[in-house]
Amino acid sequence: MLNADNIRKDFPILSLSVYGKPLVYLDNAATTQKPRSVVDAIANEYYNVNANVHRGVHFLSQKATELHEQARETVRAFIHARSTSEIVFTRGTTESINLVATCFSQACMKEGDEVIISAMEHHSNIVPWQMAAGRMGIQLKVIPINDKGELLMEDYEKLFSPHTRLVSVAHVSNVLGTVNPVKEIISIAHDHGVPVLIDGAQSAPHMPIDVQELDCDFFAFSGHKTYGPTGIGVLYGKEKWLDQLPPYQGGGEMIQHVSFQHTTYNELPYKFEAGTPDYVGSHALAVAIDYLNTLGMDNIHAYERQLTDYAMRQMQQIEGMRFFGTADNKDAVISFLVGDIHHLDLGTLLDRLGIAVRTGHHCAEPLMHRLGIEGTVRASLAFYNTREEIDSLVAAIQRLKQMF
Ligand code: PLP
């Protein structure tokens, strides 16, 4: 079992005080804190390596290119992709999904075609499809959920029609914590000859991912939620799909030859990486992944599950506690309201006690409508959180409740 007290020493920011109180950071679904090795890697690259990648014959450029391409291999191994050709660096989950929505719709869809998403999607997995729908006359179909926040799989099967071209769903909900049965979702879609994109923003940081075992066609995640830096993310795509898609943006890196009449495109994955890539970010992401590998993704998952169960048990004892998301298979995200206290009031007052939680609709307004609420307070956990921090959260909520 992981020892969070030891691990915390690797994250200098966790020893901060805010308003004179020890920081209790429970906003990990929004972004995670960075271990010292990641911050050091960024500084070290700028101090000792920095040069633009792929184009230089000189020492630094070759060294920077080596780190960037090693990072691609580290990401490949992290999600068990078959080849580094299938690993595209992007700015994050949002850009990865936008890339697929734009390029897939252009190459593989026509008016009247359909995309299936779910009722619990983040706006990043709704709006890009709506934009594609607006451009091309595509329809969105939505898998409904039950009151525990689980997908209704029988209804999912009924959504398929001869016009269904893609399924795009979250692996783990950023509001409900529900771990969706993605393997089953993918297998059903494949039975209909339909590819699947998995939004892994909330799964890649918390559990082992094997894209070959899942058999997903696309998988997206963000560096900054995976203990790495901001501004870097990943799109995994099966080679057979990436090969069929047109480039997303034009410019340097994605070309083979350019004349004023015609451009030929680079091989995978560079076809999708126009412009100077965030090569410092990719290397720092690889250092973050190395850190996670040292802890072990299985260990991280087991620890966070236990901590989530503990938190749910302790919070349940608070009178007036209402949880949103009580799926049987639930990860480290806890959304709640207490009595009739407004989520924003509760979040603001918790902040004054040093406890960082998120409030609002969590970029999932359609889900809020389904739940019949405007927003929630969300505590989202990581492997560096402790039972003592959960106890502080519970004590703080109890104290604030008395004030209302
Ligand atoms: N998808 C889910 C499930 C998320 O939780 C988030 C961020 O909270 C995103 C997509 C978007 O991630 P990013 O802002 O890093 O692109």
Side-chain angles (χ1 to χ4, degrees), residues 29 93-94 122 124 174 199 201-202 222 224-225:
T93 307
T94 302
H122 188 281
S124 292
N174 66 310
D199 171 352
Q202 300 296 345
S222 297
H224 72 99
K225 294 183 197 288

PDB file of all heavy atoms in Angstrom, residues 29 93-94 122 124 174 199 201-202 222 224-225, ligand 1:
ATOM      1  N   ALA A  29      -9.295  16.658  -9.875  1.00  0.00           N
ATOM      2  CA  ALA A  29      -9.916  16.399 -11.178  1.00  0.00           C
ATOM      3  C   ALA A  29      -9.729  17.593 -12.102  1.00  0.00           C
ATOM      4  O   ALA A  29      -9.754  17.457 -13.321  1.00  0.00           O
ATOM      5  CB  ALA A  29     -11.403  16.079 -11.005  1.00  0.00           C
ATOM      6  N   THR A  93      -6.720  16.975 -23.513  1.00  0.00           N
ATOM      7  CA  THR A  93      -7.889  16.171 -23.902  1.00  0.00           C
ATOM      8  C   THR A  93      -8.787  16.945 -24.861  1.00  0.00           C
ATOM      9  O   THR A  93      -9.254  16.402 -25.868  1.00  0.00           O
ATOM     10  CB  THR A  93      -8.700  15.801 -22.642  1.00  0.00           C
ATOM     11  OG1 THR A  93      -7.823  15.186 -21.703  1.00  0.00           O
ATOM     12  CG2 THR A  93      -9.833  14.864 -22.964  1.00  0.00           C
ATOM     13  N   THR A  94      -9.015  18.217 -24.539  1.00  0.00           N
ATOM     14  CA  THR A  94      -9.933  19.015 -25.364  1.00  0.00           C
ATOM     15  C   THR A  94      -9.441  19.079 -26.799  1.00  0.00           C
ATOM     16  O   THR A  94     -10.213  18.864 -27.738  1.00  0.00           O
ATOM     17  CB  THR A  94     -10.052  20.443 -24.785  1.00  0.00           C
ATOM     18  OG1 THR A  94     -10.504  20.328 -23.432  1.00  0.00           O
ATOM     19  CG2 THR A  94     -11.019  21.295 -25.585  1.00  0.00           C
ATOM     20  N   HIS A 122     -18.266  15.745 -20.271  1.00  0.00           N
ATOM     21  CA  HIS A 122     -17.677  17.070 -20.099  1.00  0.00           C
ATOM     22  C   HIS A 122     -17.971  17.868 -21.378  1.00  0.00           C
ATOM     23  O   HIS A 122     -18.073  17.281 -22.452  1.00  0.00           O
ATOM     24  CB  HIS A 122     -16.170  16.873 -19.913  1.00  0.00           C
ATOM     25  CG  HIS A 122     -15.399  18.093 -19.544  1.00  0.00           C
ATOM     26  ND1 HIS A 122     -15.033  19.046 -20.458  1.00  0.00           N
ATOM     27  CD2 HIS A 122     -14.907  18.514 -18.346  1.00  0.00           C
ATOM     28  CE1 HIS A 122     -14.336  19.996 -19.848  1.00  0.00           C
ATOM     29  NE2 HIS A 122     -14.248  19.701 -18.561  1.00  0.00           N
ATOM     30  N   SER A 124     -16.116  19.319 -23.185  1.00  0.00           N
ATOM     31  CA  SER A 124     -15.091  19.029 -24.198  1.00  0.00           C
ATOM     32  C   SER A 124     -15.435  17.825 -25.063  1.00  0.00           C
ATOM     33  O   SER A 124     -14.823  17.625 -26.111  1.00  0.00           O
ATOM     34  CB  SER A 124     -13.742  18.748 -23.522  1.00  0.00           C
ATOM     35  OG  SER A 124     -13.265  19.913 -22.925  1.00  0.00           O
ATOM     36  N   ASN A 174     -16.137  13.210 -14.624  1.00  0.00           N
ATOM     37  CA  ASN A 174     -15.464  14.199 -13.775  1.00  0.00           C
ATOM     38  C   ASN A 174     -16.401  14.794 -12.730  1.00  0.00           C
ATOM     39  O   ASN A 174     -15.969  15.567 -11.887  1.00  0.00           O
ATOM     40  CB  ASN A 174     -14.881  15.336 -14.629  1.00  0.00           C
ATOM     41  CG  ASN A 174     -15.963  16.165 -15.300  1.00  0.00           C
ATOM     42  OD1 ASN A 174     -16.854  15.612 -15.931  1.00  0.00           O
ATOM     43  ND2 ASN A 174     -15.902  17.469 -15.163  1.00  0.00           N
ATOM     44  N   ASP A 199     -12.705   9.293 -23.723  1.00  0.00           N
ATOM     45  CA  ASP A 199     -12.168  10.472 -23.055  1.00  0.00           C
ATOM     46  C   ASP A 199     -11.557   9.993 -21.730  1.00  0.00           C
ATOM     47  O   ASP A 199     -12.272   9.691 -20.772  1.00  0.00           O
ATOM     48  CB  ASP A 199     -13.304  11.475 -22.821  1.00  0.00           C
ATOM     49  CG  ASP A 199     -12.878  12.642 -21.943  1.00  0.00           C
ATOM     50  OD1 ASP A 199     -11.762  12.621 -21.396  1.00  0.00           O
ATOM     51  OD2 ASP A 199     -13.682  13.580 -21.804  1.00  0.00           O
ATOM     52  N   ALA A 201      -9.544  11.632 -19.694  1.00  0.00           N
ATOM     53  CA  ALA A 201      -9.013  12.721 -18.846  1.00  0.00           C
ATOM     54  C   ALA A 201      -9.010  12.336 -17.366  1.00  0.00           C
ATOM     55  O   ALA A 201      -8.084  12.684 -16.630  1.00  0.00           O
ATOM     56  CB  ALA A 201      -9.826  14.002 -19.059  1.00  0.00           C
ATOM     57  N   GLN A 202     -10.059  11.611 -16.950  1.00  0.00           N
ATOM     58  CA  GLN A 202     -10.156  11.269 -15.522  1.00  0.00           C
ATOM     59  C   GLN A 202      -9.806   9.812 -15.234  1.00  0.00           C
ATOM     60  O   GLN A 202      -9.968   9.354 -14.092  1.00  0.00           O
ATOM     61  CB  GLN A 202     -11.581  11.563 -15.001  1.00  0.00           C
ATOM     62  CG  GLN A 202     -11.998  13.014 -15.133  1.00  0.00           C
ATOM     63  CD  GLN A 202     -11.156  13.967 -14.280  1.00  0.00           C
ATOM     64  OE1 GLN A 202     -10.432  13.552 -13.367  1.00  0.00           O
ATOM     65  NE2 GLN A 202     -11.238  15.254 -14.571  1.00  0.00           N
ATOM     66  N   SER A 222      -4.958  14.293 -20.689  1.00  0.00           N
ATOM     67  CA  SER A 222      -4.257  15.561 -20.478  1.00  0.00           C
ATOM     68  C   SER A 222      -3.049  15.365 -19.577  1.00  0.00           C
ATOM     69  O   SER A 222      -3.156  14.714 -18.528  1.00  0.00           O
ATOM     70  CB  SER A 222      -5.182  16.572 -19.788  1.00  0.00           C
ATOM     71  OG  SER A 222      -6.284  16.863 -20.592  1.00  0.00           O
ATOM     72  N   HIS A 224      -1.639  17.692 -17.691  1.00  0.00           N
ATOM     73  CA  HIS A 224      -1.714  18.416 -16.400  1.00  0.00           C
ATOM     74  C   HIS A 224      -2.587  17.711 -15.370  1.00  0.00           C
ATOM     75  O   HIS A 224      -2.486  17.991 -14.182  1.00  0.00           O
ATOM     76  CB  HIS A 224      -2.219  19.853 -16.625  1.00  0.00           C
ATOM     77  CG  HIS A 224      -3.681  19.932 -16.973  1.00  0.00           C
ATOM     78  ND1 HIS A 224      -4.638  20.224 -16.042  1.00  0.00           N
ATOM     79  CD2 HIS A 224      -4.342  19.724 -18.140  1.00  0.00           C
ATOM     80  CE1 HIS A 224      -5.833  20.213 -16.638  1.00  0.00           C
ATOM     81  NE2 HIS A 224      -5.674  19.908 -17.902  1.00  0.00           N
ATOM     82  N   LYS A 225      -3.447  16.783 -15.831  1.00  0.00           N
ATOM     83  CA  LYS A 225      -4.238  16.000 -14.868  1.00  0.00           C
ATOM     84  C   LYS A 225      -3.497  14.729 -14.475  1.00  0.00           C
ATOM     85  O   LYS A 225      -3.959  13.949 -13.655  1.00  0.00           O
ATOM     86  CB  LYS A 225      -5.602  15.632 -15.467  1.00  0.00           C
ATOM     87  CG  LYS A 225      -6.517  16.826 -15.713  1.00  0.00           C
ATOM     88  CD  LYS A 225      -7.859  16.361 -16.232  1.00  0.00           C
ATOM     89  CE  LYS A 225      -8.676  17.460 -16.888  1.00  0.00           C
ATOM     90  NZ  LYS A 225      -9.221  18.450 -15.976  1.00  0.00           N
TER      91      LYS A 225
HETATM   92  N1  PLP B   1     -12.919  15.452 -20.223  1.00  0.00           N
HETATM   93  C1  PLP B   1     -13.079  15.292 -18.912  1.00  0.00           C
HETATM   94  C2  PLP B   1     -13.810  14.094 -18.399  1.00  0.00           C
HETATM   95  C3  PLP B   1     -12.525  16.220 -18.034  1.00  0.00           C
HETATM   96  O1  PLP B   1     -12.670  16.057 -16.720  1.00  0.00           O
HETATM   97  C4  PLP B   1     -11.820  17.331 -18.567  1.00  0.00           C
HETATM   98  C5  PLP B   1     -11.272  18.370 -17.668  1.00  0.00           C
HETATM   99  O2  PLP B   1     -11.741  18.557 -16.566  1.00  0.00           O
HETATM  100  C6  PLP B   1     -11.678  17.430 -19.945  1.00  0.00           C
HETATM  101  C7  PLP B   1     -12.235  16.481 -20.745  1.00  0.00           C
HETATM  102  C8  PLP B   1     -10.903  18.563 -20.558  1.00  0.00           C
HETATM  103  O3  PLP B   1      -9.569  18.474 -20.217  1.00  0.00           O
HETATM  104  P1  PLP B   1      -8.533  19.631 -20.639  1.00  0.00           P
HETATM  105  O4  PLP B   1      -9.118  20.906 -20.115  1.00  0.00           O
HETATM  106  O5  PLP B   1      -7.275  19.249 -19.943  1.00  0.00           O
HETATM  107  O6  PLP B   1      -8.433  19.613 -22.105  1.00  0.00           O
END
